[in-house]
Amino acid sequence: MLSNDTFRKLEHIVRGVSLEEETDHCTAARNYLCASFSTSRTVKKDFERNAIIKKEQAEHLKDYATRNKLWVSGLSDKALYLTRGGEAEVYLGNDGQSVIKVNDAIYYATWLEFFNSITIHNLIFPDTTYTFLGFIETDGVLKAVLQQPYIISDDQVDLKDVKQHLAYNGFENIKRNDYKNSSLGILLEDIHDENVLSNSGLLFFIDTVFYTISE
């Protein structure tokens, strides 16, 4: 079950409040955007309108990346390329124990919603924490570079176990593979058996998409 401290931080994210006590690059980028942009709780309904805001945020982030030396190089080694998911190219990390995900945030109306989602994931699923390494830009498209532990599945995931695990943390299954935490105002989508892995009897959530929503 989520701790009181985690619950408080999640509430702050949903309300658009900065998490000043956190110093990692992901939270810092989120806090930077929070200073100029508000967190939308109707982002699922305003996707097209928010596209303009997303472009504006991308320009802010490019400047932020330059000032904070967050431009990433050295991802052209195709030998380390593993796969392409819905929103990310996945590479094997040089250490062999992590994966590098290059994410274009296509599932999110704004970059702030993207960083909200990553920060929420890290709070709820610390075993598969994303480490934000920086940005790259290819063909004019800004992409975030994230590192995550490389989890090897040793058993098939039972979605009933996933449902039970999420229910324990306050998430209700609202349709198929989508969940909602009404007390926080968080939507978690597309939790199928490719986004959750099983290893040694434990569940590892490796790909999540969170949205802040209004009730």
Side-chain angles (χ1 to χ4, degrees):
M1 184 174 293
L2 301 176
S3 69
N4 289 337
D5 183 59
T6 296
F7 200 89
R8 177 185 61 81
K9 290 176 181 177
L10 291 171
E11 285 184 321
H12 284 184
I13 291 170
V14 172
R15 289 165 48 204
V17 177
S18 294
L19 302 177
E20 299 298 343
E21 68 271 31
E22 303 295 325
T23 59
D24 62 281
H25 286 314
C26 179
T27 307
R30 178 196 168 272
N31 288 346
Y32 170 75
L33 290 175
C34 278
S36 301
F37 300 92
S38 60
T39 292
S40 172
R41 301 189 68 181
T42 58
V43 67
K44 292 283 289 181
K45 299 179 182 178
D46 302 330
F47 208 96
E48 292 184 5
R49 183 179 65 82
N50 277 298
I52 298 174
I53 297 176
K54 187 175 186 178
K55 290 181 180 179
E56 185 180 353
Q57 290 179 356
E59 294 305 313
H60 279 254
L61 289 173
K62 290 176 187 179
D63 179 64
Y64 179 81
T66 299
R67 288 187 287 106
N68 291 277
K69 298 180 180 179
L70 287 174
W71 289 110
V72 177
S73 60
L75 288 175
S76 59
D77 188 353
K78 296 302 180 182
L80 298 177
Y81 177 80
L82 294 177
T83 187
R84 165 82 199 192
E87 62 174 345
E89 298 174 355
V90 184
Y91 298 81
L92 180 65
N94 290 328
D95 58 5
Q97 298 180 353
S98 64
V99 291
I100 306 298
K101 296 183 176 181
V102 182
N103 196 310
D104 59 11
I106 194 172
Y107 288 165
Y108 302 90
T110 70
W111 276 101
L112 177 54
E113 304 314 316
F114 169 80
F115 279 106
N116 278 343
S117 179
I118 298 300
T119 306
I120 291 170
H121 174 99
N122 289 349
L123 287 169
I124 297 177
F125 304 119
D127 289 339
T128 53
T129 289
Y130 286 105
T131 300
F132 173 56
L133 302 179
F135 297 98
I136 64 169
E137 186 175 17
T138 56
D139 299 324
V141 178
L142 185 67
K143 300 178 181 179
V145 183
L146 305 162
Q147 187 174 25
Q148 189 179 40
Y150 182 29
I151 307 297
I152 298 176
S153 178
D154 62 10
D155 196 7
Q156 186 174 355
V157 171
D158 188 335
L159 291 180
K160 292 181 180 178
D161 293 335
V162 173
K163 184 177 180 179
Q164 182 179 7
H165 179 88
L166 290 172
Y168 184 72
N169 286 291
F171 285 86
E172 174 192 4
N173 185 214
I174 54 174
K175 64 176 181 178
R176 299 189 64 186
N177 300 316
D178 295 349
Y179 294 81
K180 180 172 68 174
N181 187 313
S182 297
S183 62
L184 286 170
I186 293 175
L187 185 67
L188 172 58
E189 289 196 347
D190 204 26
I191 296 300
H192 53 73
D193 56 3
E194 292 182 1
N195 291 337
V196 185
L197 301 178
S198 177
N199 184 283
S200 301
L202 300 176
L203 294 177
F204 294 88
F205 292 73
I206 59 168
D207 285 311
T208 59
V209 177
F210 286 99
Y211 298 104
T212 56
I213 58 172
S214 59
E215 292 300 318

